[in-house]
Amino acid sequence: MTDGAPAVGDTVRDTVRDRVGVVMAHQGPYIQLRPLGGGREWDAAPAHVRPLGAAELLSARLADVNTRSRTGLGCLPEATPGGHTMWPLAPEGAEQ
């Protein structure tokens, strides 16, 4: 961090929205954040973001992976922790 603002690539919590995001850019007075699993960016005031500790970061990443597996979105092999390949299961009765 420089001048108290998180650097691009840092993972932080937006305390106003209670969301975790990765710092993508600094635009004017705001920080642009993107959800861990990708998605639409949002702006947050630097005063309303704080860095995540190691345990909180692990928990946020695990929650993202669990959400992807429950919704059938799967994970790209290169984006999966530990490099393991995860593929969504075929629906019951579907040909494999």
Side-chain angles (χ1 to χ4, degrees):
M1 285 189 206
T2 56
D3 301 332
V8 171
D10 286 352
T11 304
V12 297
R13 177 171 299 279
D14 177 345
T15 58
V16 171
R17 291 182 176 84
D18 195 29
R19 293 179 67 187
V20 172
V22 177
V23 177
M24 302 305 291
H26 298 266
Q27 289 291 330
Y30 298 104
I31 297 172
Q32 290 186 323
L33 302 174
R34 177 167 291 180
L36 284 179
R40 189 179 183 126
E41 291 183 1
W42 76 94
D43 292 335
H48 296 143
V49 299
R50 64 173 179 75
L52 297 184
E56 197 174 12
L57 178 57
L58 178 62
S59 179
R61 287 182 175 164
L62 181 60
D64 179 60
V65 170
N66 285 340
T67 297
R68 288 176 164 277
S69 76
R70 277 194 307 273
T71 59
L73 294 176
C75 295
L76 297 175
E78 63 271 12
T80 305
H84 301 287
T85 303
M86 294 175 52
W87 301 103
L89 297 174
E92 193 173 313
E95 289 187 36
Q96 295 186 6

